[in-house]
């Protein structure tokens, strides 16, 4: 019998099927390595962005450092220029005949003419004060003579600048004024009559103008002495602080040198990086970065150093972000181009390979195609029968799974109802017992209030239907303390019978949250009941309720001093039907967590509450909600 002729179009259909099979196989091979390539590419991209941001930040820091170094001589010149200008005044006065004559007559007459002369010189030199001291250390003439804070007659024998000027001919000292109480730099020159010292001419310069000039520059500038104690500064609150904590000996020497009996020399709020030239200043609840440069000032006062800090946060952040964005865009464009080219080349190669294999396979399949069609028809019929049977099994399994799922949900709802109904029943019992006691004693008004609470407390059971349907929570602005007080009121009878001490939040103010009072009370009642159960038969049982605000969050913590939770119990704490109680259902915390999430917050077990049962540290849970104004 002759074989039947193949139908028209059969060969072309086989060729199309073979081509699709080959392309599908190629796609599988591509997909196997795709995720590895993506992960490597993302890692390279992240590293490149980080490196670019770091390089740009370092470059910006170098630019800021160049700016600070350029501004440093100007800031130093402002100080040294003022000191050098004022230093000439006592040197000139030490050679003035009027000053020498006054010192020769010391104690014999009032020097009104010299006082006027010193006052005029002080005005011309912009000095705070100029005065002349005799060899006994008594000021005999001053530019502020006749004023309430006059220096005339004051004993300056204890001052270092007087002692050093008498011994060495010239001296300088920074410290607080004995009369004025204002800080300043004292410049002193000895007045000699031949080889005989007559006294000391002193000028006090208060560096307010220099500090104001520093402040107007936009930089943070300050001067330290050889011990690192801040003297002149554009930040007045930093004066007499120290770069680092002083040792006992150094602090004593600083007190003696500066003659500050009560200075604490507290460390400046500055943290320095590890060799990057950046300093971080902590204050006002945030940290700021500065580029720091330093210069010694031997020409002004020996041991003085000038520090200039340039604000760096904005420049570093802007440079880093710009570099990261530029790098990201460049790499994305490069990657996109590489991907397109690679994909095009790979597709072309795969198509060529597929066509070659297809041509080879077609030649071998033509000779056996007729027999394969017969076998294929038989196999297709069997496959259709098996597929229909499998689909029927799948439908039955799907129906069984749906039924099991419905039964599981029904069981959870029933367990939840059984668990949640205990709360209003316990509250009703508590209010009823209190009402009975009030009626026995003839107190009808509080008894009426308790009966009204029994009527209103029935609203708690409505939360079960809300939990089942998951509708939108009817939230409104709520003072948190009202919910805390409501939960404690619901459990007042049990708390009283258990002898547990309740510590409520300190203060009278209450932050506001957007929540349903009943839902929030339900969480608190659950946590309080668990705490009461945990402290059964414990000595000195205690529950602390804390209320805190952090940024825009309100934290309500319930902490007990019970036995605590073990790691295993803590890990399964929020899983349904997981409980450590003998008669517990394991749904209280699950439902409470669901309610907290519906209110836009969270419920968590605090860190340290799962160190192991019997540790005596107890358990602590925190409700985290968004605060509203």
């Amino acid at each position: 019998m002759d074989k039947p002729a193949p139908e028209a179009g059969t060969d072309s259909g086989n060729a199309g099927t073979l081509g699709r099979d080959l392309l599908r196989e190629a796609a599988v091979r591509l997909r196997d390595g795709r995720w590895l390539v993506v992960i490597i590419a993302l890692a390279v991209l992240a590293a490149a962005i980080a490196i670019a941001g770091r390089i740009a930040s370092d470059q910006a820091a170098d630019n800021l450092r160049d700016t600070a170094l350029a501004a440093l001589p100007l800031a130093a010149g402002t100080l040294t220029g003022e000191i050098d200008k004022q230093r000439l005044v006592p040197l000139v006065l030490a050679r003035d005949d009027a000053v020498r004559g006054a010192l020769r007559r010391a104690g014999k007459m009032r020097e009104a003419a010299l006082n006027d002369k010193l006052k005029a010189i002080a005005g011309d030199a912009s000095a705070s004060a100029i005065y002349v001291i005799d060899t006994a250390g008594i000021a005999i003439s001053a530019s502020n003579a006749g004023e309430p804070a006059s220096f005339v007659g004051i004993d300056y024998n204890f001052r270092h600048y007087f002692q050093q000027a008498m011994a060495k001919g010239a001296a300088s000292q920074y410290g607080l004024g004995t009369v004025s109480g204002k800080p300043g730099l004292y410049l002193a020159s000895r007045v000699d009559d031949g080889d005989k010292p007559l006294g000391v001419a002193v000028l006090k310069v208060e560096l307010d103008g220099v500090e104001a000039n520093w402040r107007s520059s936009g930089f943070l500038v300050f001067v330290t002495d050889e011990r690192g104690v801040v003297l002149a500064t554009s930040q007045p609150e930093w004066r007499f602080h120290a770069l680092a904590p002083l040792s006992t000996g150094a602090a004593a020497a600083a007190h003696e040198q500066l003659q500050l009996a009560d200075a604490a020399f507290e460390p400046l709020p500055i943290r320095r990086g590890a060799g990057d030239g950046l300093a971080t200043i902590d204050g006002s609840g945030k940290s700021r970065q500065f580029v720091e440069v330093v210069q010694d000032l031997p020409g002004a006062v020996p041991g003085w150093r000038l520090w200039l800090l340039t604000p760096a946060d904005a420049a570093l952040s802007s440079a880093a972000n710009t570099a990261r964005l530029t790098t990201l865009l460049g790499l994305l464009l490069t990657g996109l181009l590489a991907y397109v080219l690679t994909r095009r080349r790979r597709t072309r190669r795969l198509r060529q390979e597929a066509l070659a294999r297809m041509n080879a396979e077609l030649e071998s399949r033509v000779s056996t195609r007729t027999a394969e069609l017969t076998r294929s028809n038989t196999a297709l019929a069997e496959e259709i029968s098996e597929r229909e049977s499998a689909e029927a099994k799948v439908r039955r399994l799907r129906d069984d799974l749906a039924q099991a799922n419905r039964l599981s949900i029904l069981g959870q709802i029933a367990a939840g109802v059984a668990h949640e109904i205990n709360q209003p029943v316990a509250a009703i019992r508590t209010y009823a017992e209190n009402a009975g006691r009030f009626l026995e004693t003839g107190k009808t008004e509080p008894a009426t209030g308790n009966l009204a609470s029994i009527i209103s407390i029935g609203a708690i059971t409505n939360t079960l239907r809300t939990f089942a349907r998951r509708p939108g929570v009817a939230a409104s602005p709520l003072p948190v303390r009202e919910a805390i007080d409501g939960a404690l009121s619901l459990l007042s009878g049990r708390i009283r019978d258990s002898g547990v001490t309740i510590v409520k939040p300190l203060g009278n103010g209450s932050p506001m949250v957007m929540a349903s009072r009943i839902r929030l009370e339900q969480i608190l009642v659950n946590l309080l009941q668990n705490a009461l159960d945990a402290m059964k038969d414990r000595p000195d049982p205690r529950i602390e309720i804390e209320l805190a605000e952090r940024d825009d969050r309100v934290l309500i913590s319930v902490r007990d001093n019970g036995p605590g939770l073990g790691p295993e119990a803590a890990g399964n704490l929020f899983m349904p039907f997981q409980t450590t109680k003998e008669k517990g259902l394991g749904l209280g915390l699950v439902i409470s967590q669901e309610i907290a999430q519906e209110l836009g917050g969270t419920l968590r077990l605090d860190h340290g509450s799962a160190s192991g049962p019997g540790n005596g540290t107890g358990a602590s849970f925190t409700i985290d909600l968004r605060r509203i104004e």
Side-chain angles (χ1 to χ4, degrees):
M1 183 179 295
D2 297 334
K3 297 182 178 178
E7 297 180 0
T10 300
D11 291 341
S12 61
N14 292 336
T17 302
L18 178 59
R20 286 193 297 272
D21 291 343
L22 294 175
L23 289 174
R24 188 179 298 112
E25 180 182 353
V28 169
R29 290 202 303 270
L30 288 174
R31 189 166 55 249
D32 290 340
R34 182 176 59 187
W35 290 114
L36 179 60
V37 173
V38 170
I39 292 173
I40 294 175
L42 290 176
V44 172
L45 179 63
I49 291 174
I51 293 172
R54 181 61 182 176
I55 293 174
S57 179
D58 291 343
Q59 183 62 45
D62 290 339
N63 294 338
L64 289 174
R65 188 171 295 104
D66 293 340
T67 301
L69 290 173
L72 188 61
L74 180 61
T78 302
L79 175 65
T80 57
E82 179 69 17
I83 294 176
D84 290 340
K85 179 183 71 175
Q86 303 291 359
R87 195 189 305 275
L88 295 175
V89 176
L91 291 174
V92 173
L93 289 175
R95 293 167 175 78
D96 188 89
D97 291 335
V99 174
R100 290 175 177 174
L103 288 172
R104 293 190 190 100
R105 299 188 299 271
K108 297 179 182 179
M109 59 180 294
R110 300 181 63 183
E111 301 294 337
L114 182 57
N115 292 338
D116 293 339
K117 181 176 182 178
L118 296 179
K119 183 175 182 180
I121 295 174
D124 294 338
S126 300
S128 174
I130 302 175
Y131 48 104
V132 177
I133 306 173
D134 63 14
T135 55
I138 305 299
I140 64 170
S141 181
S143 61
N144 60 359
E147 297 178 3
S150 172
F151 293 172
V152 177
I154 302 298
D155 185 358
Y156 292 100
N157 186 57
F158 68 97
R159 283 291 198 180
H160 287 284
Y161 62 77
F162 170 76
Q163 299 170 5
Q164 292 179 5
M166 287 294 293
K168 300 179 180 180
S172 62
Q173 179 185 357
Y174 190 92
L176 292 178
T178 305
V179 177
S180 66
K182 296 181 179 179
L185 178 64
Y186 295 88
L187 303 172
S189 292
R190 187 177 63 203
V191 181
D192 294 328
D193 186 8
D195 296 333
K196 177 182 177 183
L198 296 177
V200 176
V202 184
L203 179 143
K204 178 185 179 184
V205 53
E206 295 175 0
L207 302 176
D208 296 345
V210 175
E211 294 174 341
N213 182 280
W214 289 344
R215 280 192 293 272
S216 65
S217 69
F219 300 103
L220 289 180
V221 187
F222 60 93
V223 171
T224 59
D225 63 10
E226 65 274 12
R227 298 176 185 84
V229 177
V230 177
L231 303 179
T233 172
S234 62
Q235 296 285 105
E237 64 272 17
W238 286 6
R239 185 174 282 111
F240 300 131
H241 283 56
L243 294 175
L246 299 182
S247 64
T248 303
H255 281 124
E256 198 271 337
Q257 175 67 27
L258 298 174
Q259 295 182 327
L260 300 172
D262 55 349
F265 303 121
E266 296 180 357
L268 290 174
I270 300 178
R271 292 181 286 108
R272 290 175 174 80
D276 56 2
L278 294 177
T280 302
I281 297 179
D282 300 318
S284 303
K286 61 180 181 180
S287 298
R288 297 177 296 162
Q289 282 190 310
F290 293 80
V291 171
E292 179 183 83
V293 292
V294 187
Q295 176 179 329
D296 291 329
L297 299 173
V301 178
W304 279 23
R305 302 188 79 191
L306 179 71
W307 302 74
L308 188 144
L309 283 74
T310 304
D313 285 329
L316 297 182
S317 177
S318 175
N321 290 336
T322 301
R324 293 188 187 108
L325 180 59
T326 303
T327 303
L328 175 62
L329 293 177
L331 290 177
L332 287 178
L333 290 175
T334 303
L336 179 61
L337 179 60
Y339 174 79
V340 171
L341 295 177
T342 303
R343 185 64 179 267
R344 182 178 299 175
R345 186 167 54 251
R346 179 178 297 175
T347 302
R348 184 165 54 248
R349 178 175 56 81
L350 290 176
R351 285 178 178 176
Q352 292 173 351
E353 292 176 356
L355 287 173
R357 287 195 298 269
M358 181 181 64
N359 291 331
E361 288 292 332
L362 281 175
E363 292 179 358
S364 64
R365 288 186 180 186
V366 168
S367 60
T368 58
R369 184 57 181 166
T370 302
E372 290 179 355
L373 285 174
T374 303
R375 289 194 298 271
S376 297
N377 289 335
T378 304
L380 181 60
E382 294 176 354
E383 183 180 350
I384 291 174
S385 177
E386 292 177 357
R387 182 170 297 177
E388 290 177 349
S389 176
E391 289 178 352
K393 291 181 181 179
V394 168
R395 285 194 296 271
R396 288 195 299 273
L397 289 175
R398 187 183 296 115
D399 293 340
D400 293 343
L401 181 60
Q403 178 64 18
N405 187 45
R406 285 194 294 271
L407 292 175
S408 174
I409 294 173
L410 181 60
Q412 291 183 21
I413 292 175
V417 170
H419 180 274
E420 291 300 313
I421 203 65
N422 288 334
Q423 295 181 11
V425 169
I428 291 171
R429 178 180 178 182
T430 299
Y431 281 124
E433 291 176 353
N434 291 340
R437 294 190 183 97
F438 285 134
L439 290 175
E440 290 175 0
T441 58
K443 298 179 180 179
T444 59
E445 185 175 350
T448 302
N450 280 345
L451 293 176
S453 298
I454 292 175
I455 295 173
S456 64
I457 204 170
I460 294 177
T461 58
N462 292 332
T463 58
L464 294 174
R465 181 171 55 191
T466 302
F467 180 72
R469 287 201 311 262
R470 301 186 182 275
V473 179
S476 60
L478 172 68
V480 175
R481 287 185 183 271
E482 288 188 8
I484 295 174
D485 293 339
L488 291 174
S489 177
L490 290 174
L491 297 174
S492 59
R494 182 176 178 187
I495 293 172
R496 182 182 60 253
D497 295 340
S498 65
V500 174
T501 300
I502 302 295
V503 180
K504 296 173 65 176
L506 300 176
N508 297 319
S510 177
M512 303 289 291
V513 297
M514 183 64 70
S516 166
R517 174 173 175 173
I518 294 176
R519 302 289 271 171
L520 184 53
E521 284 182 356
Q522 186 174 357
I523 300 176
L524 292 168
V525 167
N526 244 323
L527 297 179
L528 291 169
Q529 284 185 331
N530 288 343
L532 290 170
D533 292 340
M535 293 187 298
K536 185 177 181 181
D537 300 327
R538 299 283 296 183
D540 190 21
R542 180 186 182 90
I543 298 177
E544 296 181 4
I545 304 175
E546 294 183 354
L547 187 58
E549 298 181 59
R550 294 180 183 171
D551 298 330
D552 62 341
R553 311 299 297 179
V554 176
L555 306 179
I556 312 168
S557 298
V558 178
R559 181 182 298 109
D560 62 61
N561 61 348
L565 294 169
E568 181 178 356
N572 300 325
L573 202 58
F574 294 101
M575 297 292 292
F577 307 107
Q578 300 293 326
T579 180
T580 59
K581 301 179 184 179
E582 183 178 352
K583 298 182 179 180
L585 294 176
L587 289 175
L589 289 176
V590 177
I591 295 174
S592 297
Q593 189 181 53
E594 284 283 340
I595 295 174
Q597 292 173 353
E598 290 175 4
L599 297 180
T602 60
L603 172 64
R604 64 175 181 268
L605 175 67
D606 291 332
H607 179 71
S609 297
S611 56
N615 59 7
T617 59
S620 176
F621 290 84
T622 294
I623 308 168
D624 186 333
L625 300 174
R626 181 178 295 277
R627 178 174 60 86
I628 63 172
E629 299 296 337

